[in-house]
Amino acid sequence: MFLKLSGRRCLVVGAGNIAESKVTSLVAAEATVTVIAPDARPEVQKLAQMGKIMWHARAFQESDLDGIFLVVSGTNSASVDRAVYTAAKARGILCNAVDDPPYCDFYFPSVVQRGDLQIAISTAGESPALAQRLRKEIDAHLPQDAGRWLADLGQLRREVLAAEPQSEDRKSLLHQLARRDVCGAAECPSRVMARQHAKKLAAAARKEIA
């Protein structure tokens, strides 16, 4: 499941080595991030100074969970992380206690990304190192322009959806287009194919009316 976190209030408890990457990934997802930690690594402090996160230099309090959508606890204390998880669970808030799978409602995957194309690898917390290795292998083989290709494919899909009614033929066409190279040009082979398919359906409809 991919969650849209843009504008969502997310809490990170901890701001050291364990939590820093979680803070930056939530910022990248455009979440509204609050960090609770007595001390913070320089990168976290910099994000706070830039106004990209809010940092409270103190210990966690249960009231910090008020209005929170998702929480990550990545301190150097398992007892603190588990206490955060227990408090979040009582409020129905999704929680990840970093590197403690039984106290996680979700996991942070290793992600390969090209634009809107995302490939996530998870080992359910069993071996983050394996997930990272697989990410590097997939990243090395995935074309760098895959994101641009997906953007063109998405636009072509919207054109097909607007031109043709829902049917098995339309579904089949969309699957065929996903296997072909797509570009933004009007003479793109995939777009020509889509237009020809639409004309064929229109001609068939006219024959039925006649």
Side-chain angles (χ1 to χ4, degrees):
M1 178 171 62
F2 288 87
L3 290 174
K4 293 182 179 180
L5 295 178
S6 180
R8 297 277 195 175
R9 294 184 60 194
C10 297
L11 177 70
V12 178
V13 181
N17 290 330
I18 298 173
E20 180 180 2
S21 64
K22 312 309 180 188
V23 173
T24 55
S25 65
L26 290 172
V27 170
E30 301 181 349
T32 299
V33 182
T34 298
V35 175
I36 305 294
D39 299 297
R41 287 183 58 81
E43 179 62 23
V44 177
Q45 293 185 36
K46 182 179 177 181
L47 289 172
Q49 291 166 0
M50 296 171 62
K52 293 189 175 183
I53 66 170
M54 181 176 293
W55 170 39
H56 297 294
R58 56 170 174 76
F60 168 76
Q61 302 169 2
E62 286 196 24
S63 60
D64 292 326
L65 294 171
D66 292 346
I68 293 297
F69 174 74
L70 176 150
V71 59
V72 178
S73 189
T75 71
N76 58 4
S77 169
S79 61
V80 171
D81 293 340
R82 293 179 180 186
V84 173
Y85 174 82
T86 300
K89 184 176 181 180
R91 292 171 175 243
I93 299 171
L94 295 173
C95 182
N96 174 288
V98 181
D99 291 336
D100 200 352
Y103 293 86
C104 292
D105 295 315
F106 65 94
Y107 304 102
F108 280 87
S110 286
V111 178
V112 180
Q113 186 161 2
R114 301 283 191 276
D116 285 336
L117 176 63
Q118 298 182 61
I119 301 174
I121 304 120
S122 173
T123 60
E126 294 294 331
S127 178
L130 173 60
Q132 292 172 16
R133 181 176 68 80
L134 293 174
R135 178 188 62 77
K136 291 178 180 178
E137 291 178 4
I138 294 172
D139 188 54
H141 288 87
L142 190 67
Q144 292 296 321
D145 64 350
R148 292 193 299 274
W149 170 79
L150 175 60
D152 286 333
L153 179 61
Q155 179 58 41
L156 180 54
R157 176 179 177 272
R158 287 186 286 274
E159 292 172 14
V160 170
L161 295 181
E164 299 192 22
Q166 184 174 354
S167 66
E168 284 300 315
D169 281 345
R170 187 179 78 176
K171 180 179 179 181
S172 176
L173 172 63
L174 292 173
H175 280 275
Q176 290 180 61
L177 295 176
R179 297 173 62 89
R180 297 170 63 93
D181 290 334
V182 185
C183 65
E187 63 273 16
C188 171
S190 291
R191 282 197 161 78
V192 171
M193 175 183 173
R195 288 197 299 270
Q196 290 175 343
H197 188 271
K199 289 178 180 178
K200 180 180 177 181
L201 288 181
R206 286 195 296 270
K207 284 184 180 180
E208 290 181 2
I209 295 175

